[in-house]
Amino acid sequence: MTTAASLADWLSRLESLNINSIDLGLNRVAQVKDAMGLTPPCPVITVAGTNGKGSVVAMLSTVLHTAGYRVGTFTSPHLLAYNERVAIDLQPASDALLIAGFAAVEAGRGDTRLTYFEFSALAAIYTFLAAKVDVIVLEVGLGGRLDAVNAFDPDCAVVVSVDLDHLDWLGSNREAIGREKAGVFRAGVPAICADSRPPRSVIEYAQQIGAPLWCIGQDFGYSKHDDSPQWNFWLGDTRRSALPIPALRGGYQLANASAALAALEAVRQQLPVGMGDIRRGLLDVEWPGRFQVLPGRPVVVLDVAHNPHAARALAGNTLSLGFAEHRYAVFSILGDKDADAVIAAMQEHVDTWLIAPVDSPRALPLDVLAAKLAEHGARDVRQLASVAQAWQLATSQASENDRITVFGSFYTVAEVMKARAAEKAAQRR
């Protein structure tokens, strides 16, 4: 790879790397990491999980930023711009910083071939070290044990949830997948599990390596009265009471917030935070596209739910929105996802399915998706040429008492976000 002049050039080159887009293993990353001397001098928190890890990362980063720490956050995938993946103090890194990171990895990798994600992770760490951050929060991309971010030793490791996804890579059952995610644990380093039914493999691996494991409901947790706008967190004898409900919507967010607070307790000696910081951070946290309810009428929900666990959570959260006269879904999904289980979870909450292909070679063909919906009893299914057209049809037909749910993949939500931005820009002209 030669030096590229712009971020777009770099990303184009990374996408054309002559190596599998997913090629799990730590040897390549470790070699380049050592060659570049990328050993963070600050605390690192690593967050894994089938779902919820992005929300936990967002809460951690926001609380730590509120407390005055300089925070580097690495997440994936992005919705609208690659810069979202590498944030410093909650703001996407500039093109210049990212280009410098890519150039440093290119100069340091020698003959070592890297995947897109490996290159990205190494460049992110380089960027954080150059920015002299006080803490690094890393979201695992896939699994945990062999994911690129696991080349960096954490001071606290979190497994938010364990469910079925990426079966070809992680295993066909929760025990196998749990073992892969538990791979982020380290001997003697606090390990947190926020899954209410942790696979035995997670517990056994923590015991095997000597990682102190804190499990939700047993070692930490939360309580809330149904009619209260506040909740309480506990960890052992520690109590944090009268906390505000997180700004992120969804019934599962208190479990996610509890995992974040447990992680903060684990690193409190290095990164102390006050109650005011926690309260303000929970109120200010943002994580677009995750049960994001847009203001106005009709009700519009954006959710990247793309696996059965996430779709069941979306279905449950939908019940909290109350009655809708007609329920539209703008829906598309990738071919390597369990489309049948996702549809089954949401079918009772949709009257009209507006389906369209997303701009990805992994997209499930539209005729296959339509056939699956028919098999699940969907009666009103309309095929559109693009997600943007599906969105336009939904908004043109929905009345103020209806609901539109956009879900199925990051691509689906991103394309609707772009369409909405284009509509607003046109209105301003």
Short mmCIF file of all heavy atoms in Angstrom, two decimals, residues 1 4 14 33 48 68 88 97 132 143 149 154 166 172 204 237 245 271 286 289 306 333 349 379 392 407:
data_model
loop_
_atom_site.label_atom_id
_atom_site.label_comp_id
_atom_site.label_asym_id
_atom_site.label_seq_id
_atom_site.Cartn_x
_atom_site.Cartn_y
_atom_site.Cartn_z
N MET A 1 0.85 -1.21 0.00
CA MET A 1 0.00 0.00 0.00
C MET A 1 0.88 1.25 0.00
O MET A 1 1.80 1.37 0.76
CB MET A 1 -0.90 -0.01 1.25
CG MET A 1 -1.90 1.12 1.30
SD MET A 1 -2.84 1.11 2.84
CE MET A 1 -3.77 -0.39 2.65
N ALA A 4 -1.61 7.35 0.98
CA ALA A 4 -2.84 7.89 0.40
C ALA A 4 -3.03 9.31 0.86
O ALA A 4 -2.63 9.69 1.97
CB ALA A 4 -4.03 7.03 0.81
N LEU A 14 -7.97 0.08 2.19
CA LEU A 14 -8.18 -0.93 3.23
C LEU A 14 -9.23 -1.94 2.80
O LEU A 14 -9.11 -3.14 3.06
CB LEU A 14 -8.62 -0.27 4.54
CG LEU A 14 -7.60 0.62 5.27
CD1 LEU A 14 -8.14 1.03 6.62
CD2 LEU A 14 -6.26 -0.09 5.43
N LYS A 33 1.59 -4.48 16.60
CA LYS A 33 1.50 -3.74 17.86
C LYS A 33 2.87 -3.64 18.52
O LYS A 33 3.30 -2.56 18.95
CB LYS A 33 0.52 -4.45 18.79
CG LYS A 33 0.55 -3.96 20.23
CD LYS A 33 -0.09 -5.00 21.15
CE LYS A 33 0.32 -4.73 22.58
NZ LYS A 33 0.01 -5.84 23.48
N ALA A 48 -17.24 -6.67 25.43
CA ALA A 48 -17.70 -7.66 24.46
C ALA A 48 -19.17 -7.96 24.71
O ALA A 48 -19.73 -7.59 25.74
CB ALA A 48 -16.86 -8.93 24.56
N GLY A 68 -14.16 14.50 33.59
CA GLY A 68 -12.98 15.30 33.25
C GLY A 68 -11.84 14.53 32.64
O GLY A 68 -10.77 15.10 32.39
N ILE A 88 -12.53 10.83 20.30
CA ILE A 88 -11.74 11.40 21.40
C ILE A 88 -12.62 12.43 22.09
O ILE A 88 -13.13 13.35 21.46
CB ILE A 88 -10.45 12.05 20.88
CG1 ILE A 88 -9.55 10.99 20.21
CG2 ILE A 88 -9.68 12.73 22.02
CD1 ILE A 88 -8.33 11.57 19.53
N LEU A 97 -6.25 13.16 11.79
CA LEU A 97 -5.79 12.23 12.82
C LEU A 97 -5.86 10.79 12.34
O LEU A 97 -4.95 9.99 12.57
CB LEU A 97 -6.62 12.39 14.09
CG LEU A 97 -6.33 13.61 14.96
CD1 LEU A 97 -7.33 13.70 16.12
CD2 LEU A 97 -4.90 13.56 15.50
N LYS A 132 -2.77 11.39 23.77
CA LYS A 132 -2.51 11.33 25.22
C LYS A 132 -3.81 11.24 26.02
O LYS A 132 -4.05 12.02 26.96
CB LYS A 132 -1.67 12.53 25.68
CG LYS A 132 -0.27 12.55 25.09
CD LYS A 132 0.54 13.74 25.61
CE LYS A 132 2.00 13.64 25.25
NZ LYS A 132 2.27 13.48 23.81
N GLY A 143 -16.86 -11.56 18.54
CA GLY A 143 -16.43 -12.56 19.52
C GLY A 143 -15.70 -11.92 20.68
O GLY A 143 -16.28 -11.22 21.49
N VAL A 149 -9.01 -6.25 19.03
CA VAL A 149 -8.84 -5.42 20.22
C VAL A 149 -8.34 -6.22 21.40
O VAL A 149 -7.79 -5.66 22.37
CB VAL A 149 -10.15 -4.68 20.60
CG1 VAL A 149 -10.67 -3.86 19.45
CG2 VAL A 149 -11.21 -5.64 21.11
N PRO A 154 -6.69 -5.47 28.95
CA PRO A 154 -7.57 -4.53 29.65
C PRO A 154 -7.30 -4.47 31.14
O PRO A 154 -6.71 -5.39 31.73
CB PRO A 154 -8.95 -5.13 29.38
CG PRO A 154 -8.71 -6.60 29.35
CD PRO A 154 -7.34 -6.77 28.73
N HIS A 166 -23.33 -14.68 14.48
CA HIS A 166 -22.03 -15.04 13.88
C HIS A 166 -21.72 -16.52 14.13
O HIS A 166 -20.60 -16.88 14.53
CB HIS A 166 -20.92 -14.16 14.45
CG HIS A 166 -21.12 -12.70 14.23
ND1 HIS A 166 -21.12 -12.12 12.98
CD2 HIS A 166 -21.36 -11.69 15.12
CE1 HIS A 166 -21.33 -10.81 13.10
NE2 HIS A 166 -21.49 -10.53 14.37
N SER A 172 -22.12 -22.72 17.51
CA SER A 172 -23.55 -22.89 17.25
C SER A 172 -24.42 -22.83 18.49
O SER A 172 -25.63 -23.02 18.39
CB SER A 172 -23.78 -24.22 16.52
OG SER A 172 -23.33 -25.30 17.34
N GLU A 204 -16.61 -20.75 33.99
CA GLU A 204 -15.49 -21.69 34.11
C GLU A 204 -14.19 -21.09 33.58
O GLU A 204 -13.12 -21.33 34.17
CB GLU A 204 -15.83 -22.98 33.36
CG GLU A 204 -16.91 -23.80 34.06
CD GLU A 204 -17.27 -25.05 33.29
OE1 GLU A 204 -16.87 -25.15 32.09
OE2 GLU A 204 -17.96 -25.92 33.85
N ASP A 237 -21.21 -4.31 48.91
CA ASP A 237 -21.75 -3.37 49.90
C ASP A 237 -21.89 -1.95 49.36
O ASP A 237 -22.38 -1.07 50.06
CB ASP A 237 -20.82 -3.33 51.14
CG ASP A 237 -20.80 -4.67 51.87
OD1 ASP A 237 -21.83 -5.37 51.83
OD2 ASP A 237 -19.76 -5.01 52.45
N ILE A 245 -32.85 7.54 35.10
CA ILE A 245 -32.96 6.56 34.02
C ILE A 245 -32.07 7.02 32.87
O ILE A 245 -32.07 8.19 32.48
CB ILE A 245 -34.42 6.46 33.54
CG1 ILE A 245 -35.33 6.04 34.71
CG2 ILE A 245 -34.53 5.47 32.39
CD1 ILE A 245 -34.99 4.70 35.32
N LEU A 271 -9.36 5.64 38.10
CA LEU A 271 -10.23 6.62 37.47
C LEU A 271 -11.45 6.91 38.35
O LEU A 271 -12.58 6.51 38.03
CB LEU A 271 -10.71 6.09 36.11
CG LEU A 271 -9.65 5.74 35.07
CD1 LEU A 271 -10.26 4.91 33.95
CD2 LEU A 271 -9.01 7.00 34.51
N GLU A 286 -25.50 9.37 24.47
CA GLU A 286 -26.15 9.21 23.18
C GLU A 286 -25.55 7.99 22.46
O GLU A 286 -24.35 7.73 22.55
CB GLU A 286 -25.93 10.45 22.31
CG GLU A 286 -26.55 11.72 22.86
CD GLU A 286 -26.29 12.93 21.98
OE1 GLU A 286 -25.55 12.78 20.98
OE2 GLU A 286 -26.81 14.02 22.28
N GLY A 289 -29.35 5.05 16.71
CA GLY A 289 -29.72 3.83 16.00
C GLY A 289 -30.01 2.64 16.90
O GLY A 289 -30.24 1.54 16.40
N HIS A 306 -30.33 -6.81 14.42
CA HIS A 306 -30.00 -7.64 13.27
C HIS A 306 -29.80 -9.10 13.63
O HIS A 306 -29.36 -9.90 12.79
CB HIS A 306 -28.74 -7.11 12.56
CG HIS A 306 -27.55 -7.04 13.47
ND1 HIS A 306 -27.33 -5.97 14.29
CD2 HIS A 306 -26.53 -7.89 13.68
CE1 HIS A 306 -26.20 -6.17 14.98
NE2 HIS A 306 -25.71 -7.33 14.62
N ILE A 333 -32.11 -7.05 5.72
CA ILE A 333 -31.21 -7.81 6.58
C ILE A 333 -30.14 -8.47 5.73
O ILE A 333 -30.33 -8.70 4.53
CB ILE A 333 -32.00 -8.85 7.41
CG1 ILE A 333 -31.17 -9.42 8.57
CG2 ILE A 333 -32.54 -9.96 6.51
CD1 ILE A 333 -32.00 -10.19 9.59
N HIS A 349 -45.74 -7.19 15.56
CA HIS A 349 -45.66 -5.75 15.75
C HIS A 349 -45.62 -4.99 14.42
O HIS A 349 -45.34 -3.80 14.41
CB HIS A 349 -44.42 -5.41 16.58
CG HIS A 349 -44.38 -6.11 17.90
ND1 HIS A 349 -45.10 -5.68 18.99
CD2 HIS A 349 -43.73 -7.23 18.28
CE1 HIS A 349 -44.88 -6.49 20.00
NE2 HIS A 349 -44.06 -7.45 19.60
N ARG A 379 -48.86 -10.56 5.47
CA ARG A 379 -49.83 -10.42 4.39
C ARG A 379 -49.59 -9.20 3.51
O ARG A 379 -49.96 -9.19 2.34
CB ARG A 379 -51.25 -10.35 4.99
CG ARG A 379 -51.66 -11.63 5.72
CD ARG A 379 -53.06 -11.51 6.28
NE ARG A 379 -53.47 -12.74 6.96
CZ ARG A 379 -54.64 -12.91 7.57
NH1 ARG A 379 -55.52 -11.91 7.57
NH2 ARG A 379 -54.93 -14.04 8.16
N GLN A 392 -39.44 6.60 2.12
CA GLN A 392 -40.31 7.62 1.54
C GLN A 392 -41.76 7.13 1.45
O GLN A 392 -42.70 7.88 1.72
CB GLN A 392 -39.79 8.03 0.17
CG GLN A 392 -38.50 8.83 0.22
CD GLN A 392 -37.76 8.87 -1.10
OE1 GLN A 392 -38.25 8.33 -2.11
NE2 GLN A 392 -36.58 9.47 -1.11
N PHE A 407 -35.46 -1.24 10.92
CA PHE A 407 -34.56 -2.17 11.61
C PHE A 407 -34.04 -3.24 10.65
O PHE A 407 -34.41 -3.28 9.48
CB PHE A 407 -35.29 -2.83 12.80
CG PHE A 407 -36.29 -3.90 12.44
CD1 PHE A 407 -35.98 -5.24 12.62
CD2 PHE A 407 -37.53 -3.57 11.92
CE1 PHE A 407 -36.91 -6.22 12.30
CE2 PHE A 407 -38.46 -4.54 11.59
CZ PHE A 407 -38.15 -5.88 11.78
#
